[in-house]
């Protein structure tokens, strides 16, 4: 293979002779060829530069006056359609999977004379967790992703990146992060996948690590429920709706603030040396093909993410059932863990139940509230619920509030839970996705640990200051 | 924890204490942790290599140094420096001729190796990382001590065996060959002469940062407009620059013959206003590595027509119409694309 | 480049099965492998879907298809595997997308490469086309989005274009399924050797670089006489592409290219 070495050495010598301009010259040469060819074969019949409609739309959506209001309006409409629109199919799915199929499976298990531990493990643990994730996750994603994809295919989203890039640049990030962040409002795992549109290594890592600060679909219901029970209750009845809505929006905005702050911090510290480039093409507007877009976004985004979530939720359901039903001494593992976590929870203005729920519900934020309710009933011994290890939710908001208050919850617990729900580690689906996208243990670890540390700090500070006054 | 003993105030204070401790330990650049690490690093080897480099550079400028010069220039403790110099003399890296310290052949070769590692590192930082220009020298100062000869060759190969570092200094080959830089100092150019900047000295730091802040860079064509004891004024790429002579003395220029056509009307893409069209002349040498390639691939090549397609509600990025497509660029990119307005 | 017609078997995937297999393409059940290259925003994936009937999602983004999408179709009782490469502006840089596309074209040696371009932005798109033509000599230009070009009052002389580029040119509007049957017919003609290309080679290169490229590519051909794209390899070596250099050192490059 001596000749090969000669070849390589020859190329080195030649490169030395040509100097640094090789790439410039080659790129210029290719474009010069292209220009010659085009001159031969393309003829323009008249000189109107661009479709007039395109130009008009661009002037409006990027105008100083209308650009930002239009953007916020569209985001608000998409989120509203998602959250409100998902309620109906979600409750239908819940009725079907939780209220009809679950008892049916149980009775089947009795009929087949399964031992209690087996039916508990399989039906109350694995099945219930999976059913829950499907019921809560599928409808919002099935609404959010097609809407988002329609905007994307139309060509509006690159204009959003264009409008907002200046703000993101200030924190060392890329304008396209506005889109991956919005995608995170649907699902953080999908948001992390969407960072592929950012082709600069540093900005892409920033977008991946900070995506978790977008409140995802799995966390919106938790926020709304807790805000309604606790925040709505401290103001006069007439304003309770507005107050709880304000609290939820406040948390989402706080998330964005953290996103900017952490992006800035990352770009100034650990990511300082990563390569950073910028380019953004503004493609022409093209009318999306409605049905096709809906079909493909369901297949490409919704179902893939849902499948990953199910894969992770199944073992979590099993774990939740097991820790509630395996006893060491006279207490279950869950009860031991709660006792152990309680002091720590107290420092953070939370409690052991919440912390344990977040530990076992890593796979999906959707099952945090059902797990908290089940554990609260279990440790307080009040009536309600369906037995150890069986997650449940109540139709009545007041009844849910009663259980939580019996578990010792105060307004502080509620606010800190809302904060902690925003600032904790990403769900395991997202962690796995981050690993697949970055192929780096280091960045996956940072992306997983950083938010939870922030969560501890913030809830801790809020708790201490709250108690001071 | 016993909730009776707990007071939120103590908890808060404990927390603040921990934060303060962490801050003192890990404060960027000045934290104790970093200082301890740095102390460990400034071992004998590093000092020796720094002395070799210092001697190498001054011998190139035909200045000779004595012990006092060395201890004054390097920031390490004097006794350590003296120890190192004695050790170097033992290993025949230097000769002590009375007060003066001279490099031996071996010492000179060693010094050259360090210079090579340093300049390759700067080239690497410029081409393959996102570190700011002002930080390159400092990082390379540390990294130059960590490379073995084989590592240096590998780094060089990875960069395509470059001839010059980003400041325009020649990079020695592994056999010690070095391209020549011959030029005139900017402060010594005649009024109305044309030139191309080929080298910018990165020391002293204050002067270098000032040059960087002015956006003066290697490869730019310049014309001297005015020169006196207080200032040097020159035009470059559509802008006028005013420098103190001492700053201008840090910039080296090769003089261009009068018949070389120098475009006087060159401007930067960032100066284009809506409604104007322009032709691209090229991309400034300051744009390097991946960012430069990206721009070329997107069609920002010599001869392309460009105009503003869409202004931005926040000022930047602006979208430019280039070869039939709108591409948004930030101001710091547009300011590195040279144009000729129509 | 030689212009002798290739025999059918020289173009079939078994011919370079090893290279394709290494790139993760299952070749056993297919007669031909077709690669799909193009700039972002040219409707590349729409063409892919129109040909294969698959519903791959597309968007107005570069880098959408980071991992390759694959599909298949049958025509005249021959089976074709289609590989959708990431949309890129160029093949000269080091981004992940470009690496994937470049390596597939170079080492996968697909039987036919479809290059999708936006008819209204031909000049910009030709940048990629000319690079692809340096690597492969069995390619077809899919002049997509003809409907938009008409609305922009552009007239494109496809015959002159085909003559200048040295490859067949098929105008399409993939959104409306226009031109797709003709495209498939052309793919089949190319794959079976009924059309022979004489692809354009980049001309406007400064003299010193051109002579360096020639010197190097003659040396490469001397060493490896059967290599189809020595000029492109010379480009890559002058660029200092560490991947190509590494493969050359290990001898893998030659194994895969022959």
């Amino acid at each position: 293979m001596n000749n090969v070495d000669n070849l390589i050495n020859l190329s080195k010598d030649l490169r030395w002779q040509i100097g640094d301009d090789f790439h410039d010259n080659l790129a210029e040469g290719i474009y010069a060829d292209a220009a010659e060819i085009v001159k031969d074969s393309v003829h323009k019949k008249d000189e109107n530069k661009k479709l007039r409609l395109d130009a008009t739309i661009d002037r409006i959506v990027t105008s100083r006056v209308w650009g930002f209001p239009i953007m916020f309006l569209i985001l608000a409409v998409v989120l509203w359609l998602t959250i409100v629109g998902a309620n109906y199919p979600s409750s239908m799915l819940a009725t079907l999977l939780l209220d009809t199929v679950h008892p049916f499976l149980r009775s089947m298990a009795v009929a087949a004379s399964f031992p209690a531990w087996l039916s508990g493990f399989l039906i109350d643990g694995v099945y219930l967790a999976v059913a829950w994730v499907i019921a809560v996750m599928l409808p919002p994603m099935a609404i959010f992703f097609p809407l988002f994809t329609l905007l994307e295919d139309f060509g509006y989203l690159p204009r959003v990146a264009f409008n907002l890039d200046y703000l993101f640049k200030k924190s060392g990030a890329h304008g396209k992060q506005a889109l991956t962040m919005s995608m995170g409002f649907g699902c953080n795992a999908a948001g992390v996948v969407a960072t592929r549109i950012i082709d600069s290594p540093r900005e892409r890592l920033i977008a991946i690590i900070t995506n978790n600060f977008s409140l995802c679909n799995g966390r919106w219901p938790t926020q709304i429920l807790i805000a309604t029970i606790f925040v709505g209750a401290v103001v006069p009845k007439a304003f309770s709706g507005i107050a709880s809505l304000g609290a939820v929006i406040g948390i989402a905005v706080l998330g964005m603030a953290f996103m900017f702050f952490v992006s800035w911090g990352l770009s100034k510290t650990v990511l300082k040396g990563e390569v950073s480039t910028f380019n953004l093409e503004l493609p022409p507007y093209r009318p999306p093909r409605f049905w096709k877009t809906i079909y493909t976004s369901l297949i490409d985004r919704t179902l893939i993410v849902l499948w990953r979530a199910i894969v992770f939720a199944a073992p979590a359901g099993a774990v939740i059932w097991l820790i509630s039903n395996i006893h060491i001494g006279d207490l279950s593992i869950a009860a031991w863990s709660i006792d152990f976590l309680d002091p720590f929870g107290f420092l953070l203005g939370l409690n052991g139940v919440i912390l344990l729920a977040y530990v076992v519900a890593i796979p999906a934020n959707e099952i945090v509230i059902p797990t908290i309710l089940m554990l609260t009933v279990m440790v307080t011994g009040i009536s309600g619920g369906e037995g150890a290890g069986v997650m449940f939710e109540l139709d009545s908001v007041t009844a849910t509030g009663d259980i939580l208050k019996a578990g010792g919850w105060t307004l502080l617990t509620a606010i800190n839970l809302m904060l902690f729900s925003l600032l904790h580690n990403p769900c395991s689906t997202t962690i796995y996705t981050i690993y697949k996208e970055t192929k780096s243990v280091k960045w996956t670890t940072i992306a997983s640990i950083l938010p939870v540390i922030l969560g501890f700090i913030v809830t801790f500070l809020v708790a201490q200051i709250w108690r001071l006054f | 924890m016993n909730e009776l003993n707990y007071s939120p105030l103590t908890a808060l204070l404990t927390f603040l204490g921990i934060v303060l401790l962490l801050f003192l330990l890990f404060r960027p650049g000045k934290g104790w942790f970093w200082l301890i690490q740095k102390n460990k690093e400034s071992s004998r080897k590093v000092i020796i290599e720094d002395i070799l480099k210092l001697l190498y550079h001054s011998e190139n400028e035909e200045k000779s140094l004595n012990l006092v010069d060395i201890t004054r220039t390097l920031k390490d403790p004097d006794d350590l420096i003296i120890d190192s110099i004695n050790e170097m003399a033992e290993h025949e890296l230097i000769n002590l001729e009375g007060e003066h310290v001279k490099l031996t052949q071996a010492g000179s070769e060693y010094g050259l190796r360090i210079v090579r590692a340093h300049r390759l590192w700067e080239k690497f930082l410029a081409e393959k990382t996102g570190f700011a220009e002002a930080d390159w020298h400092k990082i390379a100062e540390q990294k130059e001590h960590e490379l073995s000869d084989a590592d240096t060759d590998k780094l060089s190969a990875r960069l395509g065996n470059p001839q010059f570092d980003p400041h325009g200094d020649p990079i020695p080959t592994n056999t010690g060959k070095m391209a020549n830089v011959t030029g005139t100092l900017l402060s010594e150019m005649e009024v109305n002469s044309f030139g191309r900047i080929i080298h910018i000295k990165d020391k002293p730091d204050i002067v270098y940062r000032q040059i960087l802040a002015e956006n003066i860079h290697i490869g730019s064509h310049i014309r001297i407009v005015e020169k006196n004891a207080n200032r040097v004024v020159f035009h470059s790429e559509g802008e006028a620059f005013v420098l103190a002579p001492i700053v201008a003395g840090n910039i080296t220029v090769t003089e261009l013959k009068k018949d070389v056509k120098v475009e006087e009307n060159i401007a930067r893409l960032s100066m284009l206003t809506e409604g104007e069209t322009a032709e691209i002349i090229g991309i400034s040498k300051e744009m390097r590595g991946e960012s430069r390639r990206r721009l070329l691939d997107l069609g920002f090549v010599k001869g392309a027509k460009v105009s503003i397609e869409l202004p931005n509600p926040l000022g930047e990025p602006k979208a430019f119409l280039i070869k039939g497509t709108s591409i948004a660029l930030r101001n710091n990119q547009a300011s590195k694309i040279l144009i000729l307005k129509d | 480049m030689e212009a002798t017609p290739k025999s059918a078997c020289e173009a079939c995937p078994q011919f370079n099965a090893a290279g394709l297999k290494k790139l993760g393409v299952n070749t056993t059940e297919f007669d031909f492998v077709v690669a799909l290259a193009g700039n972002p925003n040219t409707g590349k994936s729409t063409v892919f879907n129109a040909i294969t009937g698959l519903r791959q999602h597309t968007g107005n983004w570069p880098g959408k298809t980071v991992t390759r999408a694959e599909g298949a179709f049958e025509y005249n009782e021959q089976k074709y595997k289609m590989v959708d490469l990431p949309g890129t502006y160029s093949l000269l840089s080091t981004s992940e997308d470009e690496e994937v596309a470049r390596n597939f074209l170079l080492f996968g040696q697909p039987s036919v490469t479809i290059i999708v371009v936006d008819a209204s932005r031909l000049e910009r798109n030709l940048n990629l086309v000319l690079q692809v033509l340096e690597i492969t000599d069995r390619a077809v230009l899919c002049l997509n989005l003809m409907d938009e070009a008409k609305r922009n009052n552009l007239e494109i002389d496809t015959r002159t274009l085909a003559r200048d580029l040295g490859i067949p040119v098929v105008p399409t509007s993939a959104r409306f399924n226009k031109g797709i049957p003709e495209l498939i017919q052309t793919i089949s003609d190319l794959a079976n050797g009924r059309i022979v290309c004489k692809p354009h080679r980049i001309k406007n290169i400064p003299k010193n670089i051109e002579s360096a490229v020639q010197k190097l590519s003659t040396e490469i051909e001397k060493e490896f006489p059967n290599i189809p794209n020595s000029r492109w390899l010379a480009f890559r070596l002058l660029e200092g592409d560490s991947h190509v250099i590494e493969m050359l050192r290990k001898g893998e490059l030659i194994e895969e290219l022959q």
Side-chain angles (χ1 to χ4, degrees):
Chain A
M1 277 292 125
N2 245 341
N3 290 329
V4 169
D5 286 335
N6 284 343
L7 260 183
I8 294 170
N9 286 335
L10 176 65
S11 74
K12 268 186 200 160
D13 287 350
L14 289 170
R15 202 185 312 144
W16 180 278
Q17 283 169 28
I18 299 171
D20 287 343
D21 292 337
F22 174 70
H23 193 95
D24 287 38
N25 286 321
L26 188 57
E28 278 163 13
I30 296 172
Y31 268 113
D33 273 29
E36 279 172 18
I37 293 171
V38 165
K39 215 162 103 198
D40 276 358
S41 53
V42 180
H43 308 285
K44 212 164 186 150
K45 275 189 269 176
D46 62 28
E47 277 301 317
N48 71 334
K49 275 204 317 207
K50 183 180 172 185
L51 291 182
R52 213 159 271 149
L53 183 64
D54 268 40
T56 317
I57 300 176
D58 264 346
R59 292 282 154 182
I60 297 170
V61 299
T62 67
S63 86
R64 220 172 263 263
V65 182
W66 296 110
F68 286 85
I70 290 175
M71 228 158 45
F72 291 122
L73 189 71
I74 290 180
L75 180 66
V77 168
V78 167
L79 285 179
W80 184 81
L81 281 176
T82 307
I83 293 166
V84 174
N87 272 338
Y88 306 98
S90 266
S91 65
M92 273 162 59
L93 275 174
T95 315
L96 177 70
L97 296 174
L98 305 176
D99 300 344
T100 316
V101 176
H102 182 233
F104 172 74
L105 285 176
R106 267 191 172 175
S107 59
M108 288 282 286
V110 172
S113 54
F114 269 29
W117 63 268
L118 186 62
S119 70
F121 178 83
L122 285 178
I123 298 168
D124 295 340
V126 175
Y127 169 78
L128 210 51
V130 170
W132 221 292
V133 167
I134 294 177
V136 184
M137 200 168 175
L138 181 59
M141 288 210 303
I143 297 173
F144 183 83
F145 287 141
L147 287 177
F148 206 78
T149 314
L150 283 175
L151 286 175
E152 186 177 5
D153 280 7
F154 174 58
Y156 177 65
L157 294 190
R159 272 74 185 178
V160 173
F162 177 74
N163 282 345
L164 291 174
D165 180 69
Y166 183 72
L167 298 178
F168 283 88
K169 184 193 158 198
K170 292 245 149 180
S171 58
H174 195 295
K176 288 180 191 167
Q177 193 173 323
L179 311 183
T180 63
M181 190 188 87
S182 309
M183 186 73 111
F185 286 133
C187 168
N188 295 133
V192 169
V193 174
T195 60
R196 286 175 185 178
I197 61 177
I198 302 175
D199 59 2
S200 172
R202 167 157 73 189
E203 282 76 1
R204 178 156 186 234
L205 273 173
I206 291 178
I208 288 177
I209 295 172
T210 58
N211 196 271
N212 191 43
F213 296 116
S214 290
L215 213 51
C216 69
N217 264 328
R219 294 183 271 171
W220 286 104
T222 309
Q223 298 283 350
I224 293 170
L225 179 73
I226 301 299
T228 315
I229 296 172
F230 289 93
V231 180
V234 294
V235 294
K237 254 221 152 68
F239 301 107
S240 64
I242 300 219
S244 44
L245 182 67
V248 175
I249 292 177
I251 292 285
V253 170
L254 186 70
M256 291 188 213
F258 268 104
M259 185 274 299
F260 276 115
F261 172 70
V262 173
S263 297
W264 175 81
L266 286 170
S267 72
K268 287 277 175 276
T269 55
V270 278
L271 288 174
K272 207 173 166 192
E274 297 281 329
V275 177
S276 158
T277 63
F278 176 84
N279 73 75
L280 175 64
E281 180 180 343
L282 301 180
Y285 291 100
R286 287 180 186 140
R289 274 169 306 164
F290 191 77
W291 292 111
K292 208 180 143 151
T293 304
I294 289 187
Y295 175 86
T296 50
S297 71
L298 276 178
I299 299 289
D300 267 21
R301 287 183 172 147
T302 314
L303 290 186
I304 287 174
V305 172
L306 185 69
W307 172 243
R308 269 194 197 168
I310 290 174
V311 168
F312 282 104
V319 168
I320 291 171
W321 189 84
L322 287 174
I323 59 166
S324 317
N325 284 283
I326 295 179
H327 289 254
I328 298 173
D330 38 351
L331 284 176
S332 63
I333 295 179
W336 280 110
S337 320
I338 290 169
D339 275 353
F340 174 75
L341 289 170
D342 247 337
F344 189 52
F346 174 79
L347 267 184
L348 301 178
L350 299 166
N351 58 40
V353 167
I354 297 175
L355 289 183
L356 181 63
Y358 270 103
V359 172
V360 293
I362 277 187
N365 286 291
E366 283 82 358
I367 54 174
V368 165
I369 287 292
T371 311
I372 287 178
L373 287 175
M374 181 271 286
L375 291 173
T376 306
V377 167
M378 198 177 82
V379 294
T380 53
I382 54 169
S383 63
E386 318 214 348
V390 189
M391 295 179 282
F392 69 95
E393 231 171 41
L394 298 169
D395 291 336
S396 150
V397 171
T398 356
T400 311
D402 289 343
I403 291 186
L404 293 178
K405 281 167 194 154
W409 285 46
T410 61
L411 183 57
L412 171 67
T413 325
I415 289 175
N416 272 1
L417 173 68
M418 288 171 76
L419 287 170
F420 195 70
S421 152
L422 173 72
L423 302 170
H424 69 90
N425 54 287
C427 69
S428 50
T429 314
T430 307
I431 296 177
Y432 174 69
T433 309
I434 293 173
Y435 179 73
K436 282 198 80 174
E437 293 296 317
T438 59
K439 297 196 184 73
S440 144
V441 176
K442 179 182 159 199
W443 298 122
T444 311
T445 315
I446 290 182
S448 311
I449 306 252
L450 190 71
V452 81
I453 290 178
L454 279 174
F456 286 153
I457 294 176
V458 169
T459 50
F460 172 82
L461 287 177
V462 168
Q464 310 317 315
I465 292 168
W466 182 280
R467 285 170 190 150
L468 268 181
F469 298 105
Chain B
M1 176 185 298
N2 188 341
E3 287 181 26
L4 291 175
N5 288 338
Y6 156 87
S7 122
L9 200 60
T10 3
L12 262 185
L13 289 176
T14 319
F15 174 77
L16 285 179
I18 294 172
V19 169
L20 188 70
L21 186 70
L22 286 176
F23 175 75
L24 287 175
L25 273 175
F26 295 108
R27 188 162 39 141
K30 290 175 195 156
W32 296 336
F33 179 79
W34 309 124
L35 289 184
I36 291 169
Q37 274 222 322
K38 212 172 167 188
N39 244 341
K40 248 195 238 161
E41 273 169 20
S42 68
S43 62
R44 191 60 62 82
K45 174 170 179 277
V46 172
I47 297 177
I48 290 178
E49 291 182 351
D50 283 342
I51 297 173
L52 282 171
K53 210 169 56 162
L54 179 68
L55 287 170
Y56 179 84
H57 286 310
S58 24
E59 285 186 11
N60 263 3
E61 291 166 22
E62 285 167 13
K63 277 187 275 182
S64 85
L65 296 184
N66 57 31
L67 276 176
V68 182
D69 294 329
I70 294 175
T71 46
R72 216 181 274 156
T73 317
L74 295 180
K75 285 179 192 122
D76 303 280
D78 288 359
D79 50 333
L80 273 179
I81 293 177
I82 305 288
D83 282 357
S84 309
I85 286 180
N86 288 332
E87 194 182 327
M88 287 160 77
E90 267 168 47
H91 287 92
E92 294 184 350
L93 291 171
I94 50 172
N95 287 325
L96 294 171
E97 297 171 5
E99 275 289 279
H100 294 288
V101 186
K102 295 260 186 229
L103 285 173
T104 61
Q105 181 67 25
S108 181
E109 274 165 23
Y110 194 165
L112 191 71
R113 280 208 316 262
I114 303 297
V115 170
R116 170 171 151 88
H118 180 92
R119 292 183 180 166
L120 280 170
W121 258 106
E122 289 201 336
K123 181 77 178 170
F124 174 80
L125 292 167
E127 296 284 334
K128 307 275 181 188
T129 73
F131 284 105
E133 200 164 346
D135 295 334
W136 295 342
H137 182 70
K138 218 170 58 193
I139 300 171
E141 270 305 84
Q142 282 178 16
K143 296 284 185 186
E144 66 191 15
H145 305 297
E146 295 165 15
L147 286 185
S148 69
D149 281 359
D151 289 339
T152 315
D153 287 345
K154 232 184 255 166
L155 182 63
S156 175
R158 196 176 151 201
L159 294 169
N161 296 317
Q163 284 175 296
F164 293 98
D165 79 357
H167 305 298
D169 284 316
I171 301 174
T173 62
N174 51 5
T175 51
K177 258 195 287 180
M178 205 175 350
N180 277 333
V181 183
T182 48
T184 323
L185 293 184
L186 181 57
S187 49
E188 284 159 15
M189 295 267 292
E190 300 290 319
V191 171
N192 262 328
S193 56
F194 294 95
R196 185 167 51 88
I197 296 178
I198 52 166
H199 180 236
I200 298 174
K201 221 159 107 181
D202 58 3
K203 280 176 286 188
D205 206 37
I206 302 171
V207 176
Y208 181 55
R209 274 171 200 271
Q210 194 187 337
I211 294 173
L212 285 187
E214 291 273 359
N215 255 325
I216 295 169
H217 36 81
I218 289 174
S220 299
H221 286 207
I222 60 159
R223 184 169 69 89
I224 308 288
V225 180
E226 185 194 326
K227 203 182 97 175
N228 58 41
N230 297 322
R231 58 187 211 165
V232 177
V233 182
F234 63 94
H235 284 181
S236 173
E237 293 165 0
E239 276 181 56
F241 295 89
V242 182
L243 294 181
I246 188 164
V247 177
N250 262 15
I251 300 173
T252 313
V253 180
T254 67
E255 225 166 311
L256 295 175
K257 284 173 213 126
K258 293 281 181 204
D259 54 334
V260 174
K261 193 180 148 220
V262 177
E263 298 282 3
E264 266 292 283
N265 307 328
I266 291 182
R268 292 149 193 256
L269 186 54
S270 50
M271 303 189 317
L272 196 67
T273 51
E274 262 195 282
E276 289 180 318
T277 57
E279 189 182 306
I280 290 178
I281 300 296
I283 302 175
S284 146
K285 290 278 176 214
E286 202 190 358
M287 198 68 162
R288 300 183 171 89
E290 203 48 34
S291 314
R292 183 184 189 87
R293 291 190 186 168
R294 231 347 114 220
L295 285 180
L296 290 168
D297 291 344
L298 289 169
F300 291 90
V301 291
K302 204 188 282 168
K305 291 279 175 199
V306 65
S307 63
I308 289 190
E309 172 91 343
L310 204 57
N312 191 291
L314 296 178
E316 68 166 327
K318 288 192 193 91
F320 296 98
L321 184 68
I322 178 105
K323 295 200 186 276
T325 302
S326 14
I327 305 276
L329 295 183
R330 290 175 174 171
N331 282 347
N332 60 0
Q333 294 171 295
S335 69
K336 282 160 200 154
I337 297 173
L338 309 177
I339 55 166
L340 204 57
K341 288 189 190 174
D342 289 342
Chain C
M1 283 283 101
E2 58 195 322
T4 48
K6 298 249 188 296
S7 74
C9 196
E10 226 172 312
C12 69
Q14 273 69 26
F15 177 62
N16 40 283
L20 286 165
K21 213 167 276 165
K22 220 170 241 174
L23 290 158
V25 181
N26 165 22
T27 54
T28 44
E29 291 158 35
F30 298 92
D31 299 305
F32 300 104
V33 172
V34 179
L36 191 67
N39 278 37
N41 295 316
T42 52
K44 195 160 67 71
S45 297
T46 319
V47 173
F48 182 82
N49 292 342
I51 296 180
T52 60
L54 254 192
R55 298 178 186 275
Q56 232 258 307
H57 179 66
T58 55
N60 282 316
W61 292 108
K64 204 54 181 289
T65 335
V66 165
T67 44
R68 293 182 328 241
E70 294 180 5
F73 66 95
E74 224 181 295
Y75 183 71
N76 282 347
E77 290 173 6
Q78 286 177 315
K79 282 185 182 157
Y80 295 79
K81 169 125 194 177
M82 230 167 124
V83 179
D84 189 10
L85 300 176
T88 59
Y89 296 106
S90 163
L91 295 176
L92 295 173
S93 297
T94 46
S95 79
E96 198 185 340
D97 288 5
E98 293 188 22
E99 200 120 320
V100 170
R102 189 166 59 216
N103 290 343
F104 190 85
L105 291 176
L106 193 57
F107 305 126
Q109 294 197 50
S111 327
V112 179
T113 303
I114 310 171
I115 317 167
V116 186
V117 299
D118 177 349
S120 319
R121 295 172 181 75
L122 190 56
E123 188 181 336
R124 147 176 307 277
N125 284 235
L126 281 180
N127 178 40
L128 179 74
V129 176
L130 294 175
Q131 292 177 35
V132 173
L133 292 186
E134 287 286 339
I135 305 181
T136 174
D137 48 11
R138 284 187 301 270
V140 48
L141 188 78
C142 167
L143 201 55
N144 196 24
L145 299 168
M146 282 303 284
D147 50 319
E148 273 183 32
K150 275 199 192 106
R151 264 185 289 148
N152 282 322
N153 287 320
L154 284 175
E155 232 169 49
I156 299 174
D157 179 355
T158 49
R159 248 198 235 178
T160 314
L161 189 60
R163 194 197 60 210
D164 285 353
L165 290 174
I167 56 167
V169 173
V170 183
T172 62
S173 297
R175 282 171 66 91
F176 309 104
N177 267 321
K178 273 191 197 148
I180 299 301
E182 291 85 344
L183 183 61
I184 294 178
Q185 174 65 44
T186 314
I187 295 169
S188 148
D189 287 347
L190 276 165
N192 291 297
R194 286 192 292 270
I195 300 180
V196 176
C197 302
K198 202 168 183 304
H200 176 99
R201 296 290 144 119
I202 300 161
K203 295 190 186 86
N204 280 303
I205 302 178
K207 276 207 187 84
N208 62 332
I209 292 184
E210 182 59 49
S211 70
V213 169
Q214 259 170 22
K215 208 168 170 185
L216 198 53
S217 67
T218 355
E219 287 301 313
I220 294 172
E221 274 169 23
K222 237 187 248 164
E223 191 62 25
F224 314 109
N226 291 330
I227 250 174
N229 31 30
S230 61
R231 213 168 108 97
W232 175 259
L233 277 181
F235 283 149
R236 295 316 297 165
L237 285 177
L238 288 175
E239 182 88 38
D241 182 331
S242 47
H243 186 75
V244 168
I245 293 176
E246 201 47 37
M247 293 193 79
L248 202 59
R249 273 228 172 90
K250 286 190 197 145
E252 283 173 19
L253 187 72
I254 307 317
E255 217 171 277
E256 303 209 351
L257 285 182
Q258 281 178 346

